[in-house]
Amino acid sequence: EKTPIGVLSAFCGAVSAGAGAGAGIAYLHGATLEEIGHTITNAVGVTSGMICDGAKASCAGKIANSVEAGIIGYNMCKTGKNYQPGDGIVGQETLANVGTLAKKGMEKTNEVIIDIMIKE
């Protein structure tokens, strides 16, 4: 998921890790490839707007939220309550949408975060 994002982005990497944790949990519970895909989509559908603010103390909270989103994503899948195309950034190519959001959509966000951090 991180590949289309690029080297530097305001997109929080914990989002990808949390979705990966959810996928791993789904796999360990015997989920099919389709169910694992739904788990990932459900997870990033919740947390994909989270920003990185420079690896500060808030990372622990962001990691916890992202892993929780991964678990929730799997639980949603198990009950057939998956996000559908058109639910926010979820679409036929959700991970490509996340990449676009992170790479193009957060260019200005990255600049603003750096400006804020320099002032502090």
Side-chain angles (χ1 to χ4, degrees), residues 1-11 98-100 102-104:
E1 176 183 328
K2 287 275 290 163
T3 304
I5 294 171
V7 178
L8 182 62
S9 173
F11 184 83
V98 170
T100 300
K103 189 169 189 168
K104 294 181 182 175

Side-chain angles (χ1 to χ4, degrees), residues 29-97:
H29 280 94
T32 65
L33 187 58
E34 182 180 4
E35 291 168 331
I36 292 169
H38 282 302
T39 298
I40 293 168
T41 296
N42 293 339
V44 299
V46 172
T47 54
S48 59
M50 196 178 320
I51 62 165
C52 173
D53 61 356
K56 302 291 183 202
S58 62
C59 282
K62 291 176 184 182
I63 291 165
N65 282 331
S66 296
V67 170
E68 182 178 30
I71 294 167
I72 290 169
Y74 176 53
N75 286 328
M76 289 172 64
C77 178
K78 288 193 314 186
T79 60
K81 307 278 190 207
N82 298 308
Y83 290 121
Q84 300 298 314
D87 292 338
I89 64 162
V90 174
Q92 296 300 321
E93 297 290 331
T94 300
L95 296 185
N97 294 345

